[in-house]
Amino acid sequence: MNIGRQRSLGVRGQHVLDYLKRMQAENSNFYYAIQGDHDLSNTNIFWADASSRTNYTYFGDTVIIDTSFRAKGYKVPFATFTGLNHHGHPVLFGCALLHNESEAAYIWLFQTWLHAMSGRAPLSVTIEPDRFVQMGAIQVLPNIRLRYCKWSMFRETKSHLGHVYQSHPTFEIEFIKFVDDSETIEEYESKWGSLLAKYYLLDDEWLQSVYDARHQWVPVYLRDTFFGELPSSAEGHDGKISYFDEFIDASTSIQLLIKKYESAIASWHEKELKADDETSNTTPVLKTPSPMEKQVAALFTRKRFMKFQDELVETLANPATKLVESETITTFRVAKFGEEHKAHIVSFSSLKTKASCSCRMFEFSGIICRHILSVFRAKNVLTLSSEYVLKRWTKDAKKGAEPDECASQVPVNSQEYMNVRYSNLRQEAIKFVEEGSKSIHVYNVAMDALHEAAKKVASVKNQGPRVIQGGSRAIGDNQGPSDLSTDEKAKKIQELAAELDKTNKRCEVYRKNLFAIVKEMEDQKLKLSVKVQNARLHLKE
């Protein structure tokens, strides 16, 4: 028998249902579902608005399911589904009220959420270290990489080892630091044993269970899977920032929940607009002469570019040393000056201009690491290939009609496409309204434009659905390929091939010259940096 944990909100939760019904009546893309008794004494509720469903099509590769309301002492059993948008901000994918917690309840919740997201499962999911949550996730998302929230593991460890934390104030700091900073599995294993021996905890059962679960929560064991986060030292959090942290807490009542929910949505939307504006209307300061830095600055959002820029600048202090070279693969050792014991191994393919690093930062975060960039610098790779530029981190992350690469397999009139179209129109309309309200002149122009657009939309609707045919368009008076004879086509192909060969040769000459210039500039910059540092040291002495 599956016995669960229950809460009752009674009639106080009725206004939540009334709100959900009203929102769905206003927008058919607003989704909600109910499990259990409709008298609200034992009811589970899930909902996701149109923006949440659309954002999932862009940023649904990794999801955080936060069901920590009980551990946090919340009055309201409020659970959330969130991710990270192209600026690295939390983005909402859905919410739930779980009055009845059980394995069956979580199975229902995850199935309902997945259905609302058009059945598209993420690559990875972060959950609470809770038995019911874990069993529900395994049942509904069997092929997804699951991890436990690291901060919840720290919180539970502190709860179980309160006496240790009180008698040894340094234990918590050391525990968190070595979990976050371990760069290899061997380093983690070694530090774990040393920590337990230092504080006489080798026989502690709780810590043994924490160690046994290390593959589900310790970062160094999860680097081969995308979670969208940078190392703690680079960004300062690993899923610690919650979408509702500043709005909902232990004192929030069911009566205030919806008001706080809407405040959070409005706040994060405003932050996204500001980040969009900063990315689009300001120019970042470049710190190197590298063409790669200029390329990424033009592609990434500002915050993601700054993370890349930090890694690029660090290549000056992390030189690459060649270890082994074959016909296709060259292996490098990359280490920071003075920290050779923390070296990483990079394998570089000259044929594909690809590299992989033992730190797995790109696989984990989607941002290329300083070690690979150092090898690229040594091998005169001046720009990043498309596989190192994740669209989810770019300015264009939310552009385009198709929600993902498989969208061509989805009918154009499907719910998923409707969600995308609705969100795109809504976002453009909000920008239009904000600009149109700044002055009376702009307001009048905006109103005229809206009236004209309304007429055009009405006209298209009255015409009914149209079939767009492609494949034939006139381009001036040029002769098309279909008008050429077989011999003429062959001759044309030979001429184009010869011209292409000449162009490739010229490009190769220019490329080599450019490589030499850029490398010389970077070497001069490094030498100058060393001289400045030496001068500063002499002045201090």
Side-chain angles (χ1 to χ4, degrees):
M1 182 177 179
N2 190 3
I3 300 175
R5 303 179 289 257
Q6 297 186 7
R7 294 189 181 193
S8 176
L9 294 180
V11 295
R12 294 182 178 180
Q14 184 60 47
H15 80 286
V16 175
L17 276 180
D18 292 340
Y19 169 81
L20 300 180
K21 291 176 182 177
R22 184 173 72 252
M23 295 301 294
Q24 190 178 65
E26 294 175 1
N27 183 349
S28 60
N29 288 327
F30 189 99
Y31 179 95
Y32 80 93
I34 301 172
Q35 181 201 32
D37 302 330
H38 286 262
D39 63 1
L40 298 182
S41 63
N42 189 24
T43 301
N44 291 329
I45 307 171
F46 169 82
W47 73 91
D49 64 12
S51 294
S52 294
R53 301 176 75 185
T54 303
N55 281 329
Y56 184 79
T57 65
Y58 302 118
F59 308 117
D61 41 16
T62 185
V63 176
I64 299 171
I65 304 175
D66 187 353
T67 57
S68 61
F69 52 84
R70 179 176 293 278
K72 294 176 180 177
Y74 282 13
K75 291 181 180 179
V76 180
F78 185 62
T80 61
F81 295 78
T82 60
L84 294 169
N85 69 9
H86 49 326
H87 300 292
H89 296 164
V91 60
L92 189 62
F93 298 145
C95 301
L97 288 173
L98 292 174
H99 306 153
N100 174 25
E101 289 184 85
S102 64
E103 181 181 329
Y106 279 109
I107 290 174
W108 171 85
L109 176 63
F110 298 153
Q111 287 176 338
T112 304
W113 169 76
L114 195 60
H115 175 73
M117 301 300 124
S118 302
R120 295 175 60 246
L123 297 174
S124 60
V125 171
T126 302
I127 61 174
E128 291 298 304
D130 178 273
R131 180 170 58 88
F132 291 149
V133 177
Q134 181 184 11
M135 295 307 297
I138 290 173
Q139 288 288 326
V140 181
L141 304 167
N143 300 316
I144 306 306
R145 183 68 180 272
L146 294 176
R147 72 166 178 177
Y148 299 148
C149 175
K150 182 180 69 177
W151 298 103
S152 295
M153 294 296 293
F154 287 149
R155 183 184 63 238
E156 290 202 10
T157 299
K158 188 172 185 178
S159 175
H160 282 81
L161 300 178
H163 62 290
V164 176
Y165 281 68
Q166 287 182 357
S167 58
H168 301 287
T170 58
F171 176 80
E172 182 175 18
I173 298 173
E174 289 186 48
F175 182 44
I176 293 175
K177 183 175 175 58
F178 99 78
V179 168
D180 283 342
D181 294 349
S182 294
E183 296 185 8
T184 66
I185 292 175
E186 291 75 18
E187 181 183 0
Y188 176 83
E189 301 278 353
S190 174
K191 287 184 176 180
W192 176 267
S194 299
L195 184 72
L196 266 59
K198 178 179 179 180
Y199 292 99
Y200 304 100
L201 296 170
L202 291 171
D203 297 325
D204 187 90
E205 293 184 3
W206 168 256
L207 285 177
Q208 183 60 48
S209 69
V210 168
Y211 177 77
D212 291 341
R214 62 193 182 281
H215 294 278
Q216 277 71 50
W217 73 280
V218 178
V220 73
Y221 292 93
L222 298 161
R223 296 291 184 203
D224 60 345
T225 303
F226 181 79
F227 285 96
E229 299 163 4
L230 291 173
S232 298
S233 57
E235 193 158 37
H237 70 86
D238 279 346
K240 190 177 182 180
I241 295 179
S242 168
Y243 192 90
F244 293 99
D245 263 356
E246 298 178 8
F247 304 92
I248 297 175
D249 55 31
S251 65
T252 303
S253 64
I254 188 67
Q255 294 95 327
L256 290 176
L257 178 64
I258 294 302
K259 182 179 180 180
K260 297 287 188 179
Y261 163 81
E262 291 189 326
S263 296
I265 289 177
S267 176
W268 282 112
H269 177 67
E270 182 181 356
K271 290 177 181 178
E272 182 178 345
L273 290 178
K274 287 182 179 179
D276 285 341
D277 180 68
E278 180 188 22
T279 295
S280 301
N281 299 320
T282 63
T283 303
V285 177
L286 303 183
K287 297 181 179 180
T288 74
S290 169
M292 188 181 293
E293 184 182 17
K294 186 176 181 180
Q295 172 202 11
V296 176
L299 294 172
F300 277 17
T301 60
R302 182 58 46 79
K303 289 185 180 296
R304 295 300 94 175
F305 164 70
M306 290 174 66
K307 300 305 177 187
F308 167 83
Q309 188 180 58
D310 290 344
E311 294 300 310
L312 184 65
V313 170
E314 281 295 323
T315 62
L316 297 174
N318 288 265
T321 304
K322 188 188 299 183
L323 295 179
V324 181
E325 184 172 13
S326 65
E327 293 183 2
T328 57
I329 302 295
T330 305
T331 303
F332 289 85
R333 183 178 183 273
V334 182
K336 189 174 184 177
F337 290 122
E339 297 184 4
E340 283 74 14
H341 62 289
K342 290 187 176 182
H344 286 279
I345 303 300
V346 177
S347 298
F348 175 78
S349 170
S350 56
L351 292 178
K352 299 179 180 179
T353 320
K354 290 175 56 178
S356 62
C357 180
S358 59
C359 78
R360 298 290 185 183
M361 177 174 160
F362 179 72
E363 289 82 354
F364 186 73
S365 69
I367 300 292
I368 198 166
C369 67
R370 63 194 64 180
H371 314 112
I372 292 179
L373 291 174
S374 182
V375 169
F376 281 174
R377 178 173 174 269
K379 298 297 290 185
N380 291 327
V381 177
L382 295 182
T383 58
L384 289 182
S385 59
S386 59
E387 67 187 287
Y388 292 112
V389 181
L390 269 61
K391 185 179 179 181
R392 63 138 29 253
W393 296 138
T394 68
K395 303 174 184 179
D396 298 333
K398 299 177 74 171
K399 288 185 178 179
E402 292 186 348
D404 61 18
E405 295 177 356
C406 301
S408 59
Q409 302 173 7
V410 181
V412 175
N413 291 323
S414 70
Q415 187 67 48
E416 188 168 348
Y417 264 99
M418 289 177 65
N419 293 343
V420 173
R421 293 195 295 268
Y422 172 87
S423 180
N424 288 342
L425 287 170
R426 180 176 178 273
Q427 289 168 12
E428 292 303 316
I430 289 173
K431 294 177 183 178
F432 192 76
V433 169
E434 289 175 346
E435 291 297 321
S437 62
K438 291 182 177 178
S439 71
I440 187 63
H441 174 67
V442 177
Y443 169 79
N444 290 329
V445 172
M447 288 300 293
D448 290 341
L450 284 174
H451 290 150
E452 186 63 28
K455 292 178 183 178
K456 292 181 179 180
V457 170
S459 175
V460 172
K461 286 178 66 178
N462 292 334
Q463 293 175 11
R466 297 167 57 190
V467 178
I468 301 175
Q469 296 180 346
S472 60
R473 59 190 180 115
I475 310 177
D477 294 324
N478 294 333
Q479 186 181 27
S482 59
D483 298 326
L484 299 175
S485 66
T486 302
D487 292 339
E488 289 173 327
K489 288 180 181 179
K491 183 178 179 182
K492 189 68 174 177
I493 290 173
Q494 290 178 353
E495 292 174 354
L496 291 172
E499 185 176 349
L500 178 63
D501 185 57
K502 291 179 182 178
T503 302
N504 285 337
K505 290 179 180 179
R506 288 198 300 271
C507 286
E508 185 61 27
V509 173
Y510 296 149
R511 182 172 175 270
K512 289 182 178 179
N513 290 339
L514 184 59
F515 281 161
I517 293 171
V518 171
K519 195 171 190 312
E520 183 177 352
M521 290 174 67
E522 290 188 342
D523 289 341
Q524 290 297 326
K525 182 175 180 178
L526 181 58
K527 291 177 181 178
L528 182 60
S529 176
V530 172
K531 288 181 180 179
V532 170
Q533 186 65 27
N534 289 336
R536 287 175 177 171
L537 293 174
H538 287 308
L539 287 174
K540 289 181 180 180
E541 294 173 357

